[in-house]
Amino acid sequence: MTALFLCVLSVLCGESLRKLKWDVIVIGGGASGLMAAGRAAEMGGRVLLLEKMGRVGIKLALTGKGRCNLTNSGDLQTFIEHYRHNGKFLHNVFSRFFNDDLIAFLKARGLPTAEERGRRIFPASNRAQDVVRALRDHVSSHGVRVRIHSPVREILVHAGRAIGVRTDSGIFNASRVILATGGASYPQTGSSGDGYKMAENLGHTIQSLHPSLVPLEIEESFTRDLQGLGLKNVKVTLLSAGRRGREEFGELLFTHFGVSGPIILTLSGDVVEEIRRGKVELSIDFKPALSREQVERRLIREFQIHHRRQIVNILPNLLPRRLVPVCLQRGGIPPSLKGGEVRSEERKRLMSLLKDWRLSIRGPRPVEEAIITSGGVSVKEIHPLTMESKIVRGLYFCGEVIDVDGKTGGYNLQAAFSTGWVAGEAAAKAS
């Protein structure tokens, strides 16, 4: 009886929601959608949020391994420089709602933050779910109606203006629509690329989509032996067609399929673009603080001091122990060779491996494993001051559906929150 009552109540509520004329409908209940809905309602709009999953904020609750790297404390110019594509497009958005505004927003809702290495900002509780709660409270406190299990199939347009949306349960009318469906990564959270098709059907250009902030598969098989090994303070350089490209310094993680970790994720977007043109390699410098000559002098000293010890027991002074057998194998050096027996050419091979350890990239992991999607709705077709479409009046964009992607460190979530805030405010103010 209770189940039947709830079913009937749901149908009746859905019917009443469809009959209403909303000021703003937000498609998607992720970071940007929640922020947009809350801000639009805060500005006085009658707001309906439609989420296709069974609850809002699913992907947000998973970010930062469940800790949620909200933003970064860097200044505006530093922020802009940390986006691979179209960072300048966010300049006006950040001037309206930036990292300090986000921190104050969360603090006002009982969620203090803490800064960690790399200027990364996390909730002090270290719980991404607390961020979701704060956004849910923001939405509910301003009267946003949230309807879950409501995938949107089409944005309705008449005479060049958005007039509502079509769902499986019917049409919902509104004078403004905000598209906040996210990217194509983590489809199990609802972020499966639906928004790109909706925008494209309305005449918007969708820039080429590919995974970004994604682990990389490599050709060499030795990574299976190194699975789980993390390295700190290494430098990785992208090599494409013999040219040295972007380089990153920091942490790297070996996996059963290849490599991951912060610096790999940051380089992955460039790798995905370059691999379409030909062979791509990564060069790992295990000793970036030392020149090649300094590394060779260090090897000479180690071999002289430990001239009676086997080289397999000397190299752990320079490399993690698990790397040593692989290093010797790649250098063609017997592990039983003693320090006093190492010849000049063998020492130089070791020096080269320490400063230029090459990995051949097979490709990225699937987009489903990427943190974000690179590409999306062209920023040339979006007004930077309002996030409104230049093609369809009353249609707004926010979050990952836009062709903007940043490095790791809180930059992508800040872009989501900021574009959501601006889109929500502009949609509520529009007539």
Side-chain angles (χ1 to χ4, degrees):
M1 180 65 73
T2 302
L4 178 60
F5 173 75
L6 290 174
C7 182
V8 172
L9 181 62
S10 176
V11 172
L12 291 174
C13 287
E15 183 64 28
S16 65
L17 290 177
R18 286 194 296 275
K19 289 180 179 178
L20 290 174
K21 175 66 180 292
W22 300 94
D23 294 319
V24 180
I25 290 178
V26 179
I27 308 172
S32 67
L34 286 168
M35 184 63 85
R39 183 56 176 165
E42 186 178 17
M43 297 295 293
R46 290 172 299 172
V47 181
L48 173 65
L49 188 153
L50 299 173
E51 166 57 48
K52 73 176 183 179
M53 304 299 286
R55 64 183 188 275
V56 298
I58 296 177
K59 184 177 178 182
L60 180 60
L62 299 176
T63 59
K65 298 180 179 178
R67 295 182 61 223
C68 193
N69 183 188
L70 294 158
T71 184
N72 193 285
S73 66
D75 60 25
L76 180 57
Q77 186 55 41
T78 300
F79 243 85
I80 297 301
E81 292 170 356
H82 277 75
Y83 292 89
R84 293 184 59 254
H85 291 123
N86 304 316
K88 292 181 179 179
F89 174 78
L90 297 171
H91 194 281
N92 288 305
V93 169
F94 287 156
S95 69
R96 303 267 297 285
F97 188 85
F98 197 36
N99 47 17
D100 52 346
D101 301 300
L102 176 61
I103 291 168
F105 170 89
L106 294 170
K107 184 178 180 180
R109 286 155 184 79
L111 187 59
T113 56
E115 183 171 337
E116 298 187 6
R117 183 171 49 82
R119 296 184 172 183
R120 296 174 298 167
I121 305 294
F122 291 85
S125 65
N126 278 321
R127 283 173 42 87
Q129 191 61 53
D130 290 340
V131 181
V132 178
R133 175 193 54 76
L135 288 169
R136 278 204 316 260
D137 291 348
H138 177 55
V139 162
S140 62
S141 66
H142 290 99
V144 175
R145 296 295 297 271
V146 177
R147 183 176 170 88
I148 58 174
H149 296 302
S150 298
V152 172
R153 302 305 181 187
E154 180 185 9
I155 298 170
L156 303 177
V157 175
H158 176 70
R161 174 177 285 278
I163 59 170
V165 300
R166 181 178 64 82
T167 71
D168 291 342
S169 56
I171 290 174
F172 294 84
N173 298 307
S175 51
R176 279 88 72 196
V177 175
I178 299 176
L179 189 60
T181 48
S185 59
Y186 288 95
Q188 68 273 21
T189 68
S191 180
S192 55
D194 304 346
Y196 300 129
K197 189 65 177 177
M198 282 186 259
E200 190 173 39
N201 287 342
L202 297 177
H204 274 280
T205 303
I206 306 301
Q207 299 298 334
S208 177
L209 303 173
H210 54 262
S212 189
L213 300 185
V214 64
L216 300 173
E217 297 182 2
I218 70 169
E219 299 286 357
E220 292 80 4
S221 61
F222 63 74
T223 54
R224 288 191 292 270
D225 299 325
L226 301 176
Q227 180 180 354
L229 175 63
L231 303 175
K232 295 183 178 181
N233 302 321
V234 297
K235 184 175 74 173
V236 176
T237 304
L238 170 63
L239 305 174
S240 176
R243 295 179 288 103
R244 299 180 70 86
R246 176 178 290 184
E247 59 184 40
E248 294 291 332
F249 175 85
E251 299 178 22
L252 175 150
L253 175 69
F254 285 103
T255 68
H256 67 284
F257 54 77
V259 284
S260 186
I263 57 178
I264 297 299
L265 298 180
T266 297
L267 286 169
S268 63
D270 292 89
V271 170
V272 171
E273 290 184 356
E274 291 294 333
I275 207 166
R276 297 172 179 176
R277 304 184 182 100
K279 182 179 179 181
V280 173
E281 293 181 297
L282 295 181
S283 169
I284 304 176
D285 184 348
F286 295 108
K287 300 293 178 183
L290 302 177
S291 66
R292 296 174 74 92
E293 293 75 17
Q294 288 173 319
V295 169
E296 186 169 16
R297 286 199 295 270
R298 173 74 184 276
L299 287 169
I300 292 172
R301 184 169 69 252
E302 291 289 338
F303 295 151
Q304 287 176 342
I305 294 173
H306 306 291
H307 62 280
R308 293 183 179 178
R309 293 175 64 181
Q310 292 183 338
I311 193 170
V312 71
N313 295 318
I314 299 174
L315 287 183
N317 294 336
L318 294 99
L319 285 172
R321 185 170 291 276
R322 288 178 62 189
L323 260 176
V324 171
V326 179
C327 180
L328 292 174
Q329 183 180 24
R330 297 197 85 184
I333 301 171
S336 60
L337 191 69
K338 294 182 179 179
E341 299 171 341
V342 177
R343 294 172 298 178
S344 173
E345 57 268 28
E346 293 168 329
R347 187 180 67 246
K348 290 185 182 299
R349 288 205 299 272
L350 284 174
M351 181 267 293
S352 292
L353 286 170
L354 290 172
K355 293 294 291 180
D356 186 15
W357 181 295
R358 297 290 180 93
L359 299 176
S360 300
I361 304 302
R362 180 184 297 127
R365 294 292 285 176
V367 67
E368 292 81 7
E369 296 181 29
I371 295 176
I372 63 167
T373 308
S374 180
V377 178
S378 172
V379 297
K380 295 179 180 179
E381 299 168 357
I382 303 172
H383 289 287
L385 291 175
T386 61
M387 298 294 105
E388 186 177 16
S389 166
K390 294 181 180 180
I391 295 174
V392 178
R393 288 171 294 158
L395 173 62
Y396 299 78
F397 300 97
C398 61
E400 196 178 339
V401 73
I402 302 171
D403 181 25
V404 176
D405 63 285
K407 299 180 182 181
T408 57
Y411 302 101
N412 291 293
L413 267 182
Q414 181 65 61
F417 290 129
S418 295
T419 54
W421 177 277
V422 170
E425 184 175 279
K429 286 182 176 180
S431 58

